[in-house]
Amino acid sequence: MWAVLPAKDFRNAKKRLSPALSPQERQSLFAVMLEDVLEAAVNAPSLDGVMVVTRDPQAASLARKYNVEVNNEPTNDGQSAAVARAVYQLNQTRRNGILTLPGDTPNLRSSEIEAIISKHPPAPAMSIVPSHDKLGSNCIALTPPNLIPFHFGYDSFQPHLNEAKKRHIDPVVHFDLPGIRLDIDTPEDLVRFLKGDGETRTHKYLRASGIAKNFLSKQNMPGTA
């Protein structure tokens, strides 16, 4: 099974954090989160490989730092299109499964990836991890890789379950993986992340930049009301 990690342009990353962070802060935050996810993925022993789908030079450079495959996107067409692009390429090389990962889940641990793979049933099969608000889909494992069309976005969890139901597949749903479930999109997500445990690159960046102090000390931080 291969991990597929779409990474949008850094300059457009984390726009929902705009009320509280400058463009440079948002880009730096996305870079350290992406590196945390890459490190977790390459250290998951059950993965056969990792592919980053991107057109951003900095994201591609980070991917190469971790010796993972880069799929160069010609345009930014969104997460669903990026994953579908990876699925097409993996099918061409007869790779039998994919596991999607978001680049904004800095608390992701290799052990969570291993837990998903270890409980993934024989093909045809789908495993899914909802976002912490149970609206989005933070991870989908599929065998074969093209088992369903993708509907990534704010409320993609139920549409993905519906796709499995259409194919008479009973998906494995993981509600017990807090690292991968917490994606950082909003100021509220960032506060939730900072109040949790962990010592990732993202934690260190947020402390060193002063962002953590500001978020945890100011009750009226823009966007957290």
Side-chain angles (χ1 to χ4, degrees):
M1 182 173 290
W2 272 62
V4 173
L5 203 171
K8 64 171 60 175
D9 286 356
F10 275 45
R11 64 181 178 178
N12 293 320
K14 303 293 110 189
K15 285 192 170 180
R16 291 166 69 187
L17 288 168
S18 296
L21 300 182
S22 70
Q24 184 56 55
E25 287 173 332
R26 288 187 283 111
Q27 291 176 32
S28 297
L29 173 61
F30 186 63
V32 292
M33 291 197 298
L34 180 61
E35 192 161 0
D36 280 331
V37 174
L38 279 168
E39 184 173 32
V42 299
N43 287 320
S46 295
L47 285 175
D48 297 315
V50 180
M51 176 186 290
V52 172
V53 185
T54 189
R55 66 190 300 270
D56 187 280
Q58 190 175 350
S61 178
L62 276 176
R64 294 189 184 97
K65 175 181 174 181
Y66 285 86
N67 294 316
V68 307
E69 191 166 325
V70 176
N71 186 318
N72 292 302
E73 268 189 308
T75 58
N76 265 325
D77 295 324
Q79 187 176 357
S80 293
V83 175
R85 180 182 177 83
V87 165
Y88 176 80
Q89 181 168 329
L90 292 172
N91 273 338
Q92 300 303 304
T93 50
R94 299 179 182 275
R95 289 158 178 167
N96 63 357
I98 67 158
L99 181 148
T100 66
L101 293 173
D104 58 358
T105 54
N107 268 343
L108 171 67
R109 298 290 179 269
S110 303
S111 58
E112 294 188 323
I113 298 172
E114 291 296 301
I116 296 166
I117 295 174
S118 69
K119 296 178 181 177
H120 190 70
M126 178 173 114
S127 300
I128 186 167
V129 185
S131 55
H132 65 90
D133 57 9
K134 300 181 183 178
L135 294 175
S137 307
N138 280 12
C139 174
I140 300 178
L142 297 174
T143 47
N146 60 347
L147 184 63
I148 64 167
F150 301 103
H151 303 283
F152 288 107
Y154 176 67
D155 57 353
S156 65
F157 180 51
Q158 189 58 51
H160 283 136
L161 294 182
N162 293 343
E163 293 290 354
K165 186 177 181 180
K166 289 178 188 175
R167 290 156 181 80
H168 307 290
I169 291 169
D170 186 16
V172 177
V173 183
H174 295 270
F175 292 105
D176 58 344
L177 302 176
I180 196 169
R181 291 193 65 191
L182 180 55
D183 49 340
I184 310 298
D185 286 320
T186 67
E188 291 89 344
D189 295 337
L190 200 49
V191 169
R192 186 176 291 107
F193 173 77
L194 288 167
K195 288 183 175 178
D197 296 329
E199 189 59 22
T200 64
R201 284 180 180 79
T202 304
H203 285 97
K204 294 173 183 175
Y205 165 72
L206 292 170
R207 286 200 301 269
S209 64
I211 295 172
K213 183 179 179 180
N214 286 339
F215 266 74
L216 294 177
S217 64
K218 294 182 179 178
Q219 296 300 312
N220 296 318
M221 176 65 67
T224 59

